[in-house]
Amino acid sequence: MKKNKSFCAYPYYVWMITFIVIPLLLVLWYALFKSENDSIVFTTEYIKRFFEPIYIQVFLRSIVLAVISTAICLVIGYPLAYILAGKTFKHKNMLMFLVIVPMWMNFLLRTYAWLTILEKNGILNQILRFLNLPTQNILYTNYAVILGMVYNYLPFMVLPLYTVLSKMDINLINAAEDLGANKLTVFKKVVFPLSLPGVVSGITMTFMPAVTTFVISKLLGGGQTTLIGDLIENQFKVANDWNFGSALSLILMVIILLSMRVMTKYEQENEGGGLF
Amino acid sequence: MKKSIYRLYTFLVYFFLYAPIIVLIVYSFNESSSRGKWGGFSLKWYAELFDNPTIMTSLKNTLLIALLSAVIATIIGTLAAIGIHKLKPFTKNFVMDITYLPVLNPDIVTGISLMLLFVFLSIPLGFVSLLLSHITFNIPYVILNVMPKLKQLNPNTYEAALDLGASPIYAYSKVILPEIAPGILTGFLFALTLSIDDFVVSFFTTGPGVSTLSITIYSMTRKGIKPEINALSALMFITVLILLFIVNYRSENSKKENIDEQNI
C-alpha cells in the first residue's frame, strides 16, 4: 500500500525514544558510572554491592515469597478455572467477569482492608474468639505478605487458565474416556498437558508482579519484610543512593526480561492461548 | 454431590476475593471513625467526603490525568499503530520490542527510569511529569489493541475507495477508521483504567503538592485511612460496576442484533 502513511508513527517514535529508550539508558548510566573528583568514571561497584550477603538475602526472600504465592495461586486458581470452564454453572462469562471485578477497586485500599480483617482485634480474631478458637496474629509476618500477594494476583492466574480450559476440545476427553482411561488419568494425560500454555502464562503474570512489589510488603509486612522492591524504593526515596538504586533496577529488569523471553519462547512453541 | 462440592469451592474462592471489598463498603457506613470498631450505621462519611479538600483535589487530579493521558495516548497510539503496520518486518519487530518494554518491565523500573529522565531534563516533578508518565505507559496498550484490528483489515476496500476517487484521508476516515474503531475504544478504556489504578509509576514521578487518589491513600496508610476514603471507593466501585454491566449488556444485545441481521 501507499508509503506516505508511515509518517503517522513519527510522533510516536519521538515519544518512544524520549520516554522509553532514554530513561532506560539513564538507569544504565547511573548503575555503571559515578562522578569522582569532577570526572566521570566507569564502575562496577554498585553492581557488585548487590552480591553482598545482606542484599542477596533480600533478593532470595523476594524470590521465595513470590514462588510460594505463585504456587498457592496455581493450586487455588486451577480448580476454579476448571470448574468455571466446565458444566457446573450456566452463566460462565458472568462468573469469570466477577473474578476480574475486584481489580477495579483501588488495590491499596483492597490490601489495606486486610488490616481490618487480620489485626489483633480484627474481624478474623473476633470470629475465632466467638467460636472459642485460639486467636491468630499473622499481620506483619511473611504469611500476611503471602496472603496479600495471593489475594492481589489470583485473578491473573485464573484468567489465562480459564481461557485455555474453556477452549479445550471436549472430544479429546471423551475419546480418552472411551478408551478406558479413568478420571485421574484423563486429567494427568490429556487435560493438564493441554492446559500447560495457560499454566505458563498464569505463572508469568503472577510471579512477575509478586517479585517486584513493594506496597504489599510495606502494608501487610509492616516493614518487617524487606523485598527487592522495598530496597529499590528505599534507595530513591530515603537513602538517596541513586546509583545503587539504578543498579538494583537494572539487575531486576534484566532478570525479568530474560525470564519473560524464555517463557514466551516456551509458549510460542506450544502455540499458547494465554493473554498475550 | 460433585456439583455441590464444586459450588462450595467456587463460593469460597469468591468469598476470599470479595471479603476485603465487603469490609470496606460496610465500614464506609460506620459511625465510629476507628477501624475495627462498629459505632452504628451512618451516612456521615459520604457527606464529609465532599468537604474534604485533600480527597476532592486528588480525585480531580486522578480523573483529569486519566482522561487527558487516555485521549493523548489514544491519538498517538492509533497513529503509531497505522504507521507501524506499514513497516517492513524487521523494523516492525524492532519497534514492537521497544513498545513492549513498558508492558513487560516492572512498574517500579518504569517509575524510577522516568523520574531519572525528568530530573535529567530538569522538568519539575508534578502535574506535567505525572501526565507525561501516564501517557507513556498508556500508549503501548492502545497500540496493542489497535494492531490486531489493522491485521484483520481487507486492504482491498481501501484501494477500492481510492479507485472510486476518494482522497487518501477521506478513504481513511470512511473505510479504515470505522473498521478499527472497536480496537481504538478498547485501547482508550484500557488506558483510562490503567491510569486511574496506577500507583507505583505515579509514586516516583510526582512531586510535592500534587497527588492522585492512589498517592493520597498511600500516604494515609501510615497515619490510618480516613473513613471518607472508604465512602469514596464504595461510590467509585458501584459506579464502575454499573458501567461495566451496561457495557456488558449492550455488547450482548448487539451480538444478538448482529445474528438477527445475518439471518435476514
Side-chain angles (χ1 to χ4, degrees), chain A residues 162-182:
Chain A
Y162 175 77
T163 316
V164 172
L165 287 171
S166 60
K167 275 191 209 148
M168 198 170 286
D169 190 352
I170 191 87
N171 292 325
L172 291 172
I173 297 165
N174 289 340
E177 278 171 357
D178 289 348
L179 292 167
N182 62 27

Side-chain angles (χ1 to χ4, degrees), chain A:
Chain A
M1 290 213 287
K2 300 282 174 294
K3 263 211 167 131
N4 60 3
K5 284 298 174 306
S6 58
F7 71 85
C8 285
Y10 290 174
Y12 172 63
Y13 296 152
V14 175
W15 194 282
M16 186 175 87
I17 291 166
T18 322
F19 292 101
I20 301 178
V21 178
I22 295 179
L24 292 178
L25 291 178
L26 282 170
V27 172
L28 200 67
W29 173 264
Y30 271 98
L32 295 176
F33 293 89
K34 65 172 177 180
S35 53
E36 213 175 51
N37 311 327
D38 294 327
S39 63
I40 288 155
V41 285
F42 175 82
T43 174
T44 52
E45 153 189 356
Y46 303 109
I47 304 278
K48 271 191 195 137
R49 202 195 296 173
F50 169 77
F51 294 97
E52 284 172 21
I54 179 168
Y55 299 123
I56 283 289
Q57 218 178 358
V58 170
F59 179 70
L60 289 180
R61 185 186 302 138
S62 311
I63 300 269
V64 168
L65 290 187
V67 167
I68 295 175
S69 2
T70 308
I72 297 177
C73 279
L74 184 63
V75 170
I76 298 178
Y78 200 104
L80 183 72
Y82 186 81
I83 293 170
L84 290 184
K87 284 176 283 190
T88 316
F89 297 102
K90 260 191 224 150
H91 302 283
K92 292 180 201 172
N93 284 336
M94 195 47 134
L95 283 169
M96 204 46 228
F97 180 64
L98 284 176
V99 172
I100 317 169
V101 162
M103 299 209 282
W104 266 287
M105 189 169 232
N106 187 294
F107 99 105
L108 288 164
L109 278 174
R110 274 185 291 136
T111 311
Y112 189 78
W114 278 104
L115 286 176
T116 318
I117 300 176
L118 297 178
E119 67 195 345
K120 219 170 168 192
N121 289 313
I123 296 171
L124 178 72
N125 278 343
Q126 283 175 21
I127 295 171
L128 287 176
R129 222 168 278 147
F130 182 74
L131 297 172
N132 276 326
L133 290 168
T135 55
Q136 305 290 325
N137 279 328
I138 72 160
L139 194 61
Y140 305 137
T141 63
N142 283 349
Y143 297 112
V145 177
I146 292 174
L147 181 112
M149 287 178 177
V150 172
Y151 174 73
N152 272 297
Y153 306 128
L154 184 60
F156 294 140
M157 179 64 86
V158 178
L159 214 60
L161 284 174
Y162 175 77
T163 316
V164 172
L165 287 171
S166 60
K167 275 191 209 148
M168 198 170 286
D169 190 352
I170 191 87
N171 292 325
L172 291 172
I173 297 165
N174 289 340
E177 278 171 357
D178 289 348
L179 292 167
N182 62 27
K183 288 257 174 284
L184 192 67
T185 321
V186 171
F187 182 77
K188 269 202 310 208
K189 297 271 179 188
V190 181
V191 178
F192 190 71
L194 282 175
S195 68
L196 268 181
V199 174
V200 171
S201 78
I203 290 176
T204 319
M205 289 174 65
T206 320
F207 181 76
M208 300 299 168
V211 87
T212 61
T213 183
F214 69 96
V215 181
I216 297 174
S217 47
K218 269 236 156 73
L219 285 181
L220 297 175
Q224 306 291 311
T225 313
T226 312
L227 302 183
I228 184 97
D230 298 288
L231 201 56
I232 295 178
E233 187 251 0
N234 200 42
Q235 301 311 314
F236 283 94
K237 292 277 180 177
V238 186
N240 251 331
D241 190 345
W242 289 15
N243 296 91
F244 185 45
S246 299
L248 290 172
S249 312
L250 184 69
I251 294 168
L252 189 63
M253 187 172 91
V254 169
I255 293 172
I256 295 276
L257 291 183
L258 277 182
S259 42
M260 279 290 196
R261 238 320 106 113
V262 175
M263 291 294 215
T264 44
K265 255 243 161 72
Y266 176 85
E267 238 173 282
Q268 276 160 4
E269 277 165 13
N270 287 280
E271 291 177 67
L275 274 188
F276 289 111

Side-chain angles (χ1 to χ4, degrees), chain B residues 144-189:
Chain B
L144 294 178
N145 276 301
V146 175
M147 285 294 263
K149 293 280 161 200
L150 284 167
K151 270 183 207 154
Q152 290 167 4
L153 271 184
N154 181 352
N156 295 330
T157 49
Y158 175 72
E159 308 262 306
L162 290 184
D163 288 347
L164 291 166
S167 71
I169 291 176
Y170 187 79
Y172 238 94
S173 61
K174 287 289 173 187
V175 178
I176 307 253
L177 220 50
E179 288 281 320
I180 61 172
I184 299 175
L185 185 68
T186 324
F188 173 77
L189 292 176

Side-chain angles (χ1 to χ4, degrees), chain B residues 8 22 32-33 45 68 70 77 95 130 138 146 148 152 162 174 179 197 232 240 245 252:
Chain B
L8 179 70
I22 295 166
S32 153
S33 71
W45 304 119
L68 280 176
V95 174
L130 263 182
N138 278 340
V146 175
Q152 290 167 4
L162 290 184
K174 287 289 173 187
E179 288 281 320
D197 213 42
L232 176 66
V240 171
F245 273 104
E252 291 271 307

